[in-house]
Amino acid sequence: MSLNKFFTKAEIPHNTPENTRIYAIGDIHGNLEPLLALHELILQEEKNFKPAARKILVYLGDYIDRRLESKQVIEHLITNPLSGFERIFLKGNHEHAMLEFIEGPERSEQWFLWGGEATIQSYGVNLDLHMPNKEDLERIAKELEGRIPKQHKKFFSELKMMHEEGDYIFVHAGFRPGVPLDQQSAGDMLMIRDEFIYSRKDFGKTIVFGHTIFDQPFIKNGRIGIDTGSYATGNLTAVMLQGKIMKFLSTK
């Protein structure tokens, strides 16, 4: 896999906290190799900067599903932190759907359509079923819960819905225009798309989000979208923010 940087450094109106450098990473979806490559690229990029008082990695959610390395991705995130970085892990709709399935297996249809079978298989649960019935789904959910390590359960239980740093807010999908930030619904923060992305509503801060796939980062109206379809393309993207400087890093 080649490593690449695209877009030169650009200045934007908003600001990070003083002496703070932030990297936000888009949707991983069970594809371990791009994650390893992007981590390495970030470490290489750090050699170009003076030390910062704070270095932050914000992961925008959707660590699992679609690819068969979902378990390995979670394990790597837990056990191999990049040295010197604070880490913030946000919740994506795929993590939410998995937890809902474990609590109520009858709610499986949507998660399965989203690639949940890949996560189930990555944790070693047999899915050799064409038309699972209610009993099958209950068995699968119970077995999945039993096979998820305690550290992974803790990871999933501690995922945040959003994170704020200076003039930036990080969230998985976005926010509903016209609704105060402290009154946003979990459903919108996990699932909203066009109503947020193409609105001209100014939230007073730059919103960095994933969830919706773009060929290259979306930058418009105080929004920065960095999901570049890693599970299908191998192209995992991060945005680096420091002061008023923005720069993108990509694995393909």
Side-chain angles (χ1 to χ4, degrees), residues 35-77:
L35 175 63
L36 300 177
L38 189 58
H39 278 176
E40 181 60 32
L41 185 55
I42 289 170
L43 292 176
Q44 292 178 20
E45 190 70 14
E46 279 297 296
K47 297 176 183 178
N48 299 322
F49 295 106
K50 296 179 180 179
R54 293 179 68 210
K55 296 188 298 182
I56 304 170
L57 277 171
V58 182
Y59 298 83
L60 296 180
D62 280 4
Y63 315 99
I64 62 170
D65 295 352
R66 302 197 187 281
R67 295 292 291 264
L68 291 171
E69 295 167 336
S70 295
K71 178 183 177 181
Q72 292 93 320
V73 165
I74 301 301
E75 184 68 17
H76 184 78
L77 291 172

Side-chain angles (χ1 to χ4, degrees), residues 7-240:
F7 292 109
T8 56
K9 288 182 180 178
E11 287 202 4
I12 53 178
H14 285 151
N15 221 330
T16 62
E18 185 176 358
N19 204 13
T20 298
R21 188 157 53 249
I22 305 169
Y23 294 86
I25 295 178
D27 303 32
I28 301 163
H29 279 306
N31 200 358
L32 182 61
E33 185 180 358
L35 175 63
L36 300 177
L38 189 58
H39 278 176
E40 181 60 32
L41 185 55
I42 289 170
L43 292 176
Q44 292 178 20
E45 190 70 14
E46 279 297 296
K47 297 176 183 178
N48 299 322
F49 295 106
K50 296 179 180 179
R54 293 179 68 210
K55 296 188 298 182
I56 304 170
L57 277 171
V58 182
Y59 298 83
L60 296 180
D62 280 4
Y63 315 99
I64 62 170
D65 295 352
R66 302 197 187 281
R67 295 292 291 264
L68 291 171
E69 295 167 336
S70 295
K71 178 183 177 181
Q72 292 93 320
V73 165
I74 301 301
E75 184 68 17
H76 184 78
L77 291 172
I78 293 171
T79 60
N80 292 278
L82 293 190
S83 178
F85 282 86
E86 300 174 33
R87 300 189 301 164
I88 308 296
F89 295 104
L90 303 186
K91 179 185 279 189
N93 58 300
H94 286 254
E95 288 78 46
H96 180 76
M98 182 195 74
L99 296 173
E100 279 207 324
F101 170 70
I102 290 173
E103 291 181 6
E106 69 279 1
R107 292 175 286 186
S108 65
E109 183 176 359
Q110 191 171 48
W111 186 43
F112 281 26
L113 290 173
W114 291 349
E117 299 100 322
T119 297
I120 293 170
Q121 291 175 310
S122 79
Y123 280 101
V125 178
N126 179 25
L127 263 183
D128 188 20
L129 298 168
H130 296 293
M131 293 290 290
N133 57 33
K134 180 180 179 181
E135 290 74 22
D136 294 326
L137 294 173
E138 290 174 351
R139 187 269 303 169
I140 292 168
K142 184 175 181 179
E143 189 174 346
L144 175 61
E145 184 178 23
R147 286 178 177 265
I148 297 177
K150 289 182 179 179
Q151 279 190 313
H152 292 212
K153 290 179 180 178
K154 185 174 185 291
F155 175 89
F156 290 125
S157 70
E158 294 178 348
L159 297 175
K160 297 178 60 176
M161 293 301 300
M162 59 180 284
H163 182 72
E164 187 171 349
E165 290 284 347
D167 294 334
Y168 292 91
I169 300 179
F170 303 85
V171 66
H172 178 63
F175 297 112
R176 184 161 295 280
V179 177
L181 289 173
D182 61 358
Q183 296 178 29
Q184 294 283 331
S185 71
D188 281 334
M189 287 188 279
L190 293 171
M191 291 289 292
I192 199 168
R193 293 191 192 272
D194 290 2
E195 301 98 318
F196 161 72
I197 294 168
Y198 300 108
S199 169
R200 295 186 179 182
K201 168 67 178 178
D202 182 2
F203 289 94
K205 294 178 182 285
T206 294
I207 312 300
V208 182
F209 66 101
H211 186 58
T212 298
I213 295 174
F214 302 98
D215 291 334
Q216 59 184 15
F218 176 90
I219 313 164
K220 191 173 183 180
N221 296 328
R223 291 134 170 82
I224 303 174
I226 58 170
D227 181 0
T228 47
S230 170
Y231 75 92
T233 65
N235 186 21
L236 184 61
T237 294
V239 60
M240 186 282 291

